[in-house]
Amino acid sequence: MKRPLVEQLHHFAEKKAMSLHVPGHKNGYFSTLPKALRGSLAYDVTELEGLDDLHAPEGVIREAQELLSQFYGSEASYFLVNGSTVGNLAMMLAATSPGDQVLVQRNAHKSVFHALELAHVEPIFITPEWDQRTETASHVSYESIVRALESYPSIRAVALTTPTYFGVVADLVEIVNYCHSRDIVVLVDEAHGAHFQGSEHFPLSALESGADVVVQSAHKSLPAMTMGSFLHINSTRVSKDRLEHTLRMLQSSSPSYPIMASLDDARAYVASFTARDYHHLMDKRALFLDSLQGIPELDIVEVDDPLKLLIRVGQHAGHQVKEALEKQGVYVELAHGKHVLWMLPLLKYGEDYRFAELRSRVKRACESLKAVRPQALPVVTTVDAGHLSRLDTSHEVVVRAEGEWISYTKAIGRIAKGAIIPYPPGIPLVVPGERFTVKTLTQLEECLMGKASFQGVHRLAERQVYVMEERT
C-alpha cells in the first residue's frame, strides 16, 4: 500500500503553506464551491518543490510510476490525466508513421478513430464477432486477424479493444504471437480491464498476453478519479522515447495533482488485492445475484468480466428499465437494446456495497414497469464477422471538402463528413470518409428508437446528418 505521491501531497497540504502561485483559488481560499469540494482544493497544487513534475519525473511521481510498472509487469508505465483518450492518441502516434496501414477493430472507441486521423495512417477496419449473450459486437477472432493480414500484407500495426464495454474479453495470446511473427505491433485499448491484473481468477490481461502498448482507464474499475488512466509500454517494438514525446505533446502541461494522487492510490488498491479479497468479492456478488432471482421478469446476463452485469426486465427496452431505476435513485452505466449495464465495485475483504438496499430499489423499479407498456424494439442486426473495409474518402479530402445537411433517410450512398457516435459506449456508427449504407441507417434507427444519446457532428433531433457536398 505504499503511495509515494499521495503521502508527499498530504504532507505538503498539512503545512498550510501560503500560495503565491497558480492555481488562482489559492488552496481553496477563494473558491465558492460547496464546502466538501472546497476542502479538497488544498491538494490541487502545481509543480512545487518536492511534488515532482509529470513531464520530467525525478521524485515521487517517478517512484509512483515505477511502482505502477512493477505491478503490471511492463517495460514502463505512465499516469494519464487526460483519460484513456490521450493514451489511445499517444500509442497510435508513437507506433506508426504517416501512410502506414493499420488494422482497426470496427467497434473501437471514438478516440481510436481520432488517433487514426491525427497519425495520418490508412485504417483497414475489421468487423468483430457477434456475442449472443450480450447481443453486441464483441472481439475479433484469431482466424479473422490471419485472413486480414494475408489480404493486406503491408499492415504495420493492429489496434484492438478488449474487454468490450459489455465485459466480453478476447483471447489475445494467439493473436499477439501471430502478429509478432510478422513484426506487427499490437496496440490494445483495455480501458475496462485495469483490474484484471488483480487476481489470477480474472480474465488474462492484454499485458500478460504480450501486447506491445496497452491503455487502461483506472477510473472505470479501480477507485481513481474521472480522467485518471494508465499507459503501459510492454516491448521494444515501440520506441519508449517516442511514446514519452507524444505524451508530452498531448497531455496538459498543468496536470491535476488530485487525479495523479488518485492514480497512485488506485495502483496501491489493486496491487494489494489478495486471494481473500477475490473470494470475498465473489461471495458478495453471488449472494447479491441470488437475491435478485426472486424478482419477477428480471434476467441477469453474466459475462467474462465479473464486475459487469447486463440486466433485462421482461420485454421492456433498456431505456425503459434505465428510467425506472433512476426514479428509484439507481443509476446505471448505460441502456442498450433490451439491457441495462451495471458495473459492480471491486470489493475487498470487509467491504460491502449496500446490496440489500440496492435489491429493494431494483425490485420497486421492476414493479413499476408492470404499468409500462414495453416498447417494441427492432430486430438487432448481427455483424458480418471478419469483414474488411476501408474509408471511401481519405481524412485529408474530407477535411477540405464542403459539407451539407441532409435527411438521414436520403443519406444512403453519401460520404459522411461528421461522425455519429452513440454515447455511451462511444463506438462510432459512421466516421468521416465512410459511406452511409442501408446497414448504417438501420443501426442508426435502432439507436434512435432506443433513445440513445449521440456525440459527433449531427442534427439527429431534426433527423439530419452531415455529408460531403456532391459536386456536378
Side-chain angles (χ1 to χ4, degrees), residues 272-312:
S272 60
F273 194 81
T274 65
R276 189 185 195 189
D277 295 327
Y278 171 80
H279 292 297
H280 172 75
L281 164 67
M282 298 308 289
D283 287 345
K284 287 289 185 181
R285 179 182 180 276
L287 287 170
F288 175 55
L289 297 189
D290 187 60
S291 74
L292 296 175
Q293 297 299 330
I295 300 177
E297 295 205 313
L298 186 145
D299 292 319
I300 302 166
V301 179
E302 297 186 63
V303 290
D304 304 327
D305 181 358
L307 298 189
K308 297 283 181 74
L309 293 172
L310 274 74
I311 305 300
R312 302 171 182 162

Side-chain angles (χ1 to χ4, degrees), residues 199 210 408:
S199 171
Y408 77 79

Side-chain angles (χ1 to χ4, degrees), residues 10-290:
H10 182 63
H11 176 68
F12 182 85
E14 285 186 324
K15 292 181 179 179
K16 299 190 183 299
M18 297 186 69
S19 170
L20 294 177
H21 53 78
V22 297
H25 57 67
K26 305 300 180 186
N27 299 329
Y29 187 84
F30 291 99
S31 173
T32 56
L33 286 169
K35 186 176 180 180
L37 283 173
R38 195 164 63 246
S40 68
L41 295 182
Y43 297 87
D44 184 34
V45 290
T46 189
E47 293 88 349
L48 303 174
E49 183 66 28
L51 295 182
D52 209 359
D53 181 349
L54 178 64
H55 294 290
E58 297 179 346
V60 289
I61 293 177
R62 178 176 178 176
E63 184 182 357
Q65 291 189 147
E66 287 175 348
L67 287 170
L68 177 66
S69 178
Q70 289 168 21
F71 172 67
Y72 281 99
S74 65
E75 293 286 329
S77 296
Y78 306 90
F79 287 166
L80 303 180
V81 295
N82 296 52
S84 287
T85 289
V86 78
N88 282 326
L89 299 179
M91 69 180 180
M92 185 66 69
L93 286 167
T96 64
S97 298
D100 282 354
Q101 286 187 334
V102 179
L103 185 66
V104 184
Q105 187 169 328
R106 186 61 185 81
N107 58 330
H109 187 263
K110 61 179 180 176
S111 58
V112 174
F113 292 85
H114 293 156
L116 299 169
E117 187 173 351
L118 286 175
H120 297 285
V121 296
E122 180 189 354
I124 309 297
F125 299 120
I126 183 166
T127 303
E129 301 293 309
W130 182 255
D131 184 69
Q132 295 293 346
R133 293 171 298 171
T134 61
E135 297 182 352
T136 61
S138 59
H139 60 278
V140 181
S141 71
Y142 168 74
E143 292 76 16
S144 294
I145 294 286
V146 171
R147 286 194 297 270
L149 297 183
E150 289 175 346
S151 298
Y152 292 92
S154 297
I155 285 172
R156 301 303 308 144
V158 174
L160 301 174
T161 301
T162 180
T164 68
Y165 211 111
F166 301 93
V168 180
V169 181
D171 182 356
L172 289 178
V173 175
E174 198 173 17
I175 291 173
V176 170
N177 289 339
Y178 179 73
C179 289
H180 287 172
S181 73
R182 299 179 64 118
D183 197 27
I184 293 172
V185 172
V186 180
L187 312 175
V188 178
D189 178 356
E190 196 178 41
H192 288 260
H195 59 293
F196 287 177
Q197 212 94 350
S199 171
E200 62 181 10
H201 301 292
F202 289 148
L204 195 68
S205 73
L207 287 163
E208 292 171 307
S209 300
D212 296 287
V213 190
V214 177
V215 63
Q216 299 168 330
S217 293
H219 67 92
K220 284 184 166 64
S221 57
L222 303 182
M225 290 177 65
T226 297
M227 292 178 68
S229 293
F230 301 142
L231 181 64
H232 310 279
I233 185 167
N234 201 35
S235 78
T236 57
R237 291 181 184 84
V238 177
S239 166
K240 180 173 176 285
D241 290 341
R242 190 173 175 186
L243 185 65
E244 291 178 353
H245 175 65
T246 60
L247 285 175
R248 286 192 293 271
M249 286 195 301
L250 296 171
Q251 291 224 87
S252 170
S253 61
S254 301
S256 164
Y257 271 82
I259 291 177
M260 288 191 290
S262 78
L263 288 171
D264 191 22
D265 182 65
R267 186 273 315 155
Y269 187 91
V270 69
S272 60
F273 194 81
T274 65
R276 189 185 195 189
D277 295 327
Y278 171 80
H279 292 297
H280 172 75
L281 164 67
M282 298 308 289
D283 287 345
K284 287 289 185 181
R285 179 182 180 276
L287 287 170
F288 175 55
L289 297 189
D290 187 60

Side-chain angles (χ1 to χ4, degrees), residues 356-420:
E357 180 184 350
L358 177 57
R359 193 261 183 197
S360 297
R361 295 188 184 199
V362 171
K363 183 179 180 182
R364 290 197 296 270
C366 291
E367 288 173 347
S368 71
L369 284 168
K370 293 177 181 177
V372 178
R373 182 178 179 179
Q375 178 182 335
L377 290 173
V379 176
V380 177
T381 305
T382 57
V383 298
D384 183 11
H387 175 71
L388 299 173
S389 64
R390 304 166 76 170
L391 292 178
D392 293 277
T393 304
S394 70
H395 290 303
E396 290 74 17
V397 172
V398 173
V399 168
R400 292 194 299 269
E402 296 295 325
E404 63 177 329
W405 293 97
I406 64 171
S407 168
Y408 77 79
T409 60
K410 299 178 181 179
I412 294 175
R414 300 292 296 273
I415 302 294
K417 187 168 170 62
I420 300 177

